[in-house]
Amino acid sequence: MRSSICAFLLLAGSTAYGQSVTSPRNVPAEQGEKHLRNVRQLTNGGENAEAYFSRDGRRLIFQSTRDGRTCDQQYTMWVDGTHVRRVSGGRGKTTCGYFMDGDRRIMFASSQALERECPPRPDPSKGYVWRLDPFDLYTARADGSGLRRLTHFGVYTAEGVISPDGKRIVFTSLKDGDLDIYVMNVDGSQLKRLTNEPGYDGGPWWSPDGQRIVYRANHPHTPAELATYKELLGQRLVRPNKMDLWIMNADGSGKRRITHLGAASFGPSWTADGKKIIFSSNHHTDPKLGNFDLFLVNPDGSGLEQVTTAPTFDGFPMFSADGRSLVWASNRHDANPHETNIFVADWVN
């Protein structure tokens, strides 16, 4: 999820299946960002988001609208911002890339089976909504070759994350008529649905030991709320303005809500030691401002701590496996209003 982003694209510095010639720039941390040191901006211009580390911490996979397209394709780059390479085929829209198989392969969601071109944007009259594009999960070699379609559901199936042992995928899908979380083996076998309550359950992320899953959820509480949710869902839309964080065991048991912020909280992942969860939220500000910041919270919901303080969007955080680095997407230091770029910083405990 992003704040509104302008359509300006900065194409210099990368080409399809090419290498970046731009260099990252060091930027100052904002006042109060005591956990961040040596902040580097890795991209410069347009829409760039959902950057996630390879297991060895040397590369990132991210989505971007560069190369003249108006919707996201998948790219990889080194953690210093060089060697940008497109690793998706260019058809349809993609999202939620992740490294797998010892960093030899990647996984991402794509709408290419049903949409060759970029899908239309949601009707502005609907307010702030996400479009549930007809994604399915795909895997490929790390250079983008050898593409394989992993799911064949033909409806929104995305937000996939590989388990720490590399054997399972947790993801979100509309396959059974509601937005729920599923788990399956990396070859697509042994599919299991983990959530069943009406409403949006999504954004799942494994704990470092693979025993727990944190996710975001919004379960309608009144008949009117449920009717509105289902009406939007029938139009393949969802309104994400109120979501909180939940935790469950890897088998779907023990579900419990850990935040009660009454705002748009999303993009949770874990610190490398599994002791805390990092996520993005706008609970502390006027939602109309698009000001999301990163926060830490304990798995029991205590110890809420603000991490970023820039007066704009910060989201999609992920720690490197060794816990020394944090990558996230932000509108800070944008050359043009509302551009989203990828940032990485040394983490200070």
Side-chain angles (χ1 to χ4, degrees):
M1 184 181 67
R2 305 169 207 178
S3 59
S4 59
I5 303 169
C6 76
F8 175 81
L9 302 176
L10 183 65
L11 302 181
S14 69
T15 59
Y17 297 93
Q19 294 183 349
S20 170
V21 296
T22 59
S23 297
R25 61 171 179 158
N26 292 325
V27 295
E30 298 290 325
Q31 184 175 1
E33 293 182 340
K34 63 182 181 181
H35 288 292
L36 306 181
R37 182 175 60 200
N38 190 22
V39 181
R40 288 92 70 196
Q41 180 177 339
L42 302 186
T43 63
N44 189 11
E47 298 184 27
N48 307 273
E50 295 208 50
Y52 302 126
F53 283 107
S54 59
R55 188 66 183 174
D56 65 10
R58 299 175 62 192
R59 287 175 290 173
L60 296 164
I61 186 168
F62 67 105
Q63 60 195 46
S64 178
T65 56
R66 63 188 65 204
D67 298 338
R69 294 185 58 82
T70 58
C71 63
D72 291 320
Q73 291 293 308
Q74 294 295 308
Y75 294 79
T76 59
M77 63 180 167
W78 294 106
V79 292
D80 63 0
T82 62
H83 294 79
V84 176
R85 181 186 186 96
R86 197 179 83 210
V87 291
S88 55
R91 292 182 298 175
K93 181 181 179 181
T94 73
T95 190
C96 305
Y98 210 83
F99 283 94
M100 61 185 297
D101 189 24
D103 297 337
R104 291 182 292 269
R105 295 187 66 83
I106 55 173
M107 175 187 67
F108 57 88
S110 174
S111 67
Q112 68 178 60
L114 296 177
E115 297 175 335
R116 295 187 63 88
E117 304 300 325
C118 291
R121 295 183 181 272
D123 180 354
S125 69
K126 302 290 185 182
Y128 182 55
V129 293
W130 293 348
R131 184 174 186 267
L132 300 172
D133 298 302
F135 294 121
D136 266 299
L137 299 181
Y138 290 78
T139 71
R141 298 187 187 96
D143 64 1
S145 64
L147 185 70
R148 302 174 189 167
R149 187 174 177 181
L150 190 58
T151 63
H152 294 76
F153 303 144
V155 293
Y156 183 86
T157 301
E159 305 171 18
V161 176
I162 305 295
S163 62
D165 63 8
K167 296 180 178 180
R168 295 169 293 169
I169 304 170
V170 66
F171 62 96
T172 305
S173 181
L174 192 58
K175 67 178 293 295
D176 293 319
D178 196 12
L179 286 164
D180 281 298
I181 296 172
Y182 297 77
V183 66
M184 65 183 178
N185 292 337
V186 292
D187 63 1
S189 64
Q190 297 188 21
L191 177 68
K192 180 182 179 180
R193 183 174 174 179
L194 299 184
T195 60
N196 293 279
E197 188 171 353
Y200 184 11
D201 297 288
W205 202 283
W206 301 95
S207 61
D209 61 6
Q211 300 300 306
R212 293 171 294 173
I213 295 168
V214 64
Y215 60 104
R216 61 180 178 235
N218 178 19
H219 303 141
H221 296 294
T222 68
E225 289 176 348
L226 183 60
T228 299
Y229 169 76
K230 288 184 174 180
E231 180 183 359
L232 286 173
L233 202 63
Q235 302 169 51
R236 295 296 186 261
L237 299 171
V238 65
R239 181 168 290 122
N241 58 335
K242 288 187 179 181
M243 291 188 290
D244 272 292
L245 302 191
W246 289 63
I247 284 180
M248 61 181 163
N249 297 324
D251 63 0
S253 65
K255 296 180 181 68
R256 55 190 174 88
R257 183 176 175 180
I258 64 168
T259 66
H260 296 76
L261 300 176
S265 300
F266 77 103
S269 62
W270 300 74
T271 56
D273 59 9
K275 293 182 178 180
K276 290 181 179 291
I277 293 161
I278 190 167
F279 67 102
S280 181
S281 181
N282 66 349
H283 74 276
H284 60 310
T285 186
D286 183 346
K288 296 179 182 179
L289 298 177
N291 180 13
F292 286 79
D293 278 302
L294 303 184
F295 292 83
L296 288 170
V297 69
N298 294 324
D300 64 0
S302 65
L304 185 67
E305 178 187 0
Q306 187 168 343
V307 174
T308 62
T309 61
T312 181
F313 173 81
D314 289 288
F316 306 111
M318 180 190 180
F319 285 95
S320 58
D322 62 10
R324 295 179 179 178
S325 300
L326 178 73
V327 66
W328 78 103
S330 180
N331 295 154
R332 64 178 67 197
H333 302 293
D334 48 3
N336 293 277
H338 307 302
E339 290 179 347
T340 306
N341 286 294
I342 306 301
F343 293 78
V344 67
D346 299 339
W347 182 256
V348 180
N349 281 318

